[in-house]
Amino acid sequence: MGRWRPDARERLQQAAFELFAEQGFAATTVPEITTRAGLTTRTFFRHFADKREVFFADEVEMPKVVATLMAEAPASATPMALILEGMRPLVETRFEGRKEVLRQRRELLRSDDGLRERDLRKRAAMADAIREGLLARGLDRTRAALIAETGVTLVYVAIAEWLDTDDDRRLDDIIREAFETLRSELGAS
Amino acid sequence: MGRWRPDARERLQQAAFELFAEQGFAATTVPEITTRAGLTTRTFFRHFADKREVFFADEVEMPKVVATLMAEAPASATPMALILEGMRPLVETRFEGRKEVLRQRRELLRSDDGLRERDLRKRAAMADAIREGLLARGLDRTRAALIAETGVTLVYVAIAEWLDTDDDRRLDDIIREAFETLRSELGAS
DNA sequence: CTAGGTGATGACACGACATGTCATCGCGTT
DNA sequence: AACGCGATGACATGTCGTGTCATCACCTAG
């Protein structure tokens, strides 16, 4: 058994998700994960800051991706349009067509307070990345924060709606519907 | 030394904040807190679910307060107005005039990832309470979620702005300014 | 071809967090 | 005075997360 088998991180992630699915997040211990992956506990914590992080391993680069897309995008009509445009590729590649997988993921998320909490942090990280992007475009602090948070809210609320319903509306359309709903609700003039 | 001295929870909270101020959140252990309060470690966890919770002990009932205020309020012009109206007493009693204390609190919050994460959960709990209130008023799921989240965002962004600046604008006014900013920002499309 | 150098992993120890369980005590009720 | 209830103490335990040093594979220089 070769020490040094490659892809330690991926093996850990794989083993973790198998165990989470089999017995839940809380009931799965880190030693269980590392045993299945053929590694040691210490190595797990070299690849993931804590047990929760492995759950979000696939999504770590999402904030950077959005930030890059926003930075490269041409000047949009409005900051909010810029955000929604920057989100579109992510929505397309990571959400659309994966509804069932994402529903399973949400079930796991709902089963554990710690995971829910970490999910909020990931959401905040996304908002931060967007806020930085808006600051770089010259928006003032408060405006940038406001729009970034609102943009992320739109996407998350839309995702919830999308996962809750069984029709085949596209997530992208639901996001835009949410935008229109909020607009009219605020009485934007 | 009487077992049974009253106010165990308050003593724990007091001791905890003293120690957090003296040596930071992470460097403070639960046994340290309980020793100073004249109690045992086990008792700490009977009063607070975990070490982070004691930090937010003063704010646990805030979501319920807002929910009650919203439930008792007469029908407002708009749901968002209802939220901001429901927030006003809280803003008045827990924020206005306490800027320095709240700045200190924010410093502690910034010093620890775990605390920041828990703060996000408290924020989410507030949004949930508001969302329930809106649902009870007959709004549909998505609309209620959208407006509740946006309302909480307005308040939090405004608080940040308020704490960042040294002028003597009232927080309530900053919240309304933020509302107008968002309104115009979404409307301009 | 061999001697380092580098980087990832193993092995071990350890402190803190969090929880289960049962005993103990203060206090009010009857 | 006996009893019950609720809060606390005392003890044990499991998991998490980190510090530290040794070990091994691979690469590169000479």
Side-chain angles (χ1 to χ4, degrees):
Chain A
M1 84 149 197
R3 199 174 178 175
W4 242 236
R5 258 173 63 205
D7 300 325
R9 183 183 173 92
E10 286 67 28
R11 275 185 292 146
L12 287 167
Q13 194 183 334
Q14 163 95 21
F17 272 96
E18 286 174 16
L19 287 162
F20 294 162
E22 290 169 16
Q23 52 188 23
F25 176 82
T28 301
T29 68
V30 175
E32 277 176 328
I33 297 170
T34 53
T35 298
R36 182 169 297 203
L39 293 165
T40 64
T41 302
R42 192 66 185 84
T43 295
F44 179 93
F45 289 108
R46 287 198 181 95
H47 286 276
F48 305 101
D50 57 44
K51 193 177 123 186
R52 296 167 201 82
E53 278 301 301
V54 68
F55 185 83
F56 300 93
D58 278 340
E59 312 167 18
V60 282
E61 72 299 0
M62 281 179 49
K64 278 188 100 76
V65 170
V66 173
T68 303
L69 289 170
M70 284 180 59
E72 293 172 348
S76 258
T78 67
M80 185 58 80
L82 180 68
I83 294 176
L84 298 185
E85 212 49 48
M87 287 279 197
R88 199 202 288 270
L90 235 58
V91 166
E92 214 58 49
T93 59
R94 323 273 306 224
F95 289 87
E96 218 75 72
R98 298 183 61 220
K99 194 182 264 194
E100 272 317 311
V101 177
L102 292 169
R103 276 179 173 157
Q104 269 185 272
R105 177 188 180 280
R106 186 170 65 162
E107 277 318 299
L108 269 173
L109 208 47
R110 281 181 168 156
S111 74
D112 187 86
D113 278 352
L115 280 181
R116 276 206 298 276
E117 218 168 65
R118 182 58 50 84
D119 189 53
L120 291 171
R121 177 162 146 187
K122 298 302 182 185
R123 176 175 164 167
M126 177 66 79
D128 285 346
I130 293 173
R131 184 170 49 78
E132 292 303 319
L134 294 180
L135 283 176
R137 297 228 164 202
L139 271 75
D140 65 273
R141 213 173 31 181
T142 300
R143 194 174 296 258
L146 220 42
I147 301 173
E149 295 275 356
T150 302
V152 172
T153 293
L154 282 173
V155 172
Y156 271 76
V157 170
I159 290 172
E161 166 77 10
W162 179 64
L163 290 180
D164 278 337
T165 54
D166 268 328
D167 53 39
D168 48 2
R169 282 183 299 166
R170 295 182 60 79
L171 173 55
D172 195 62
D173 293 329
I174 300 181
I175 293 173
R176 272 143 224 288
E177 285 171 28
F179 180 41
E180 290 308 321
T181 299
L182 184 61
R183 247 168 72 106
S184 71
E185 200 61 51
L186 294 192
S189 48
Chain B
M1 90 149 193
R3 197 173 178 174
W4 243 234
R5 258 172 63 204
D7 300 326
R9 183 184 172 93
E10 286 67 29
R11 275 185 293 145
L12 287 167
Q13 194 182 335
Q14 163 96 20
F17 272 96
E18 286 174 14
L19 287 162
F20 295 163
E22 291 169 15
Q23 50 188 23
F25 177 81
T28 301
T29 70
V30 175
E32 277 177 328
I33 297 170
T34 54
T35 297
R36 181 169 298 203
L39 294 164
T40 64
T41 301
R42 191 68 185 84
T43 295
F44 179 92
F45 289 107
R46 286 198 180 93
H47 287 276
F48 305 101
D50 56 42
K51 193 177 123 186
R52 296 168 200 82
E53 279 299 302
V54 68
F55 185 83
F56 300 92
D58 279 340
E59 312 165 17
V60 282
E61 72 302 357
M62 281 178 48
K64 278 188 99 77
V65 170
V66 172
T68 304
L69 289 170
M70 284 180 59
E72 293 171 348
S76 257
T78 66
M80 185 57 81
L82 180 68
I83 294 176
L84 297 185
E85 213 49 49
M87 288 281 198
R88 198 202 288 270
L90 235 58
V91 166
E92 214 57 50
T93 60
R94 324 274 304 228
F95 289 86
E96 219 75 72
R98 298 184 61 222
K99 193 182 267 196
E100 271 317 311
V101 176
L102 292 168
R103 276 179 173 157
Q104 268 185 272
R105 177 187 180 280
R106 187 170 66 162
E107 277 317 298
L108 269 174
L109 207 48
R110 282 180 167 157
S111 74
D112 188 86
D113 277 351
L115 281 181
R116 276 206 297 277
E117 217 169 64
R118 182 58 50 83
D119 189 53
L120 291 171
R121 178 163 147 188
K122 298 304 181 185
R123 175 175 165 166
M126 177 66 78
D128 285 346
I130 292 173
R131 184 172 49 80
E132 293 303 319
L134 294 180
L135 283 174
R137 298 229 162 199
L139 272 73
D140 65 273
R141 213 173 30 178
T142 300
R143 194 174 296 259
L146 221 40
I147 301 172
E149 296 275 356
T150 302
V152 172
T153 292
L154 283 173
V155 173
Y156 271 76
V157 170
I159 290 173
E161 166 77 11
W162 179 64
L163 290 181
D164 278 338
T165 54
D166 269 327
D167 53 39
D168 48 2
R169 285 183 296 167
R170 293 182 61 79
L171 173 55
D172 195 63
D173 293 329
I174 299 182
I175 293 174
R176 273 144 224 287
E177 284 171 28
F179 180 41
E180 290 310 321
T181 299
L182 184 61
R183 242 167 79 104
S184 71
E185 200 62 50
L186 294 191
S189 103

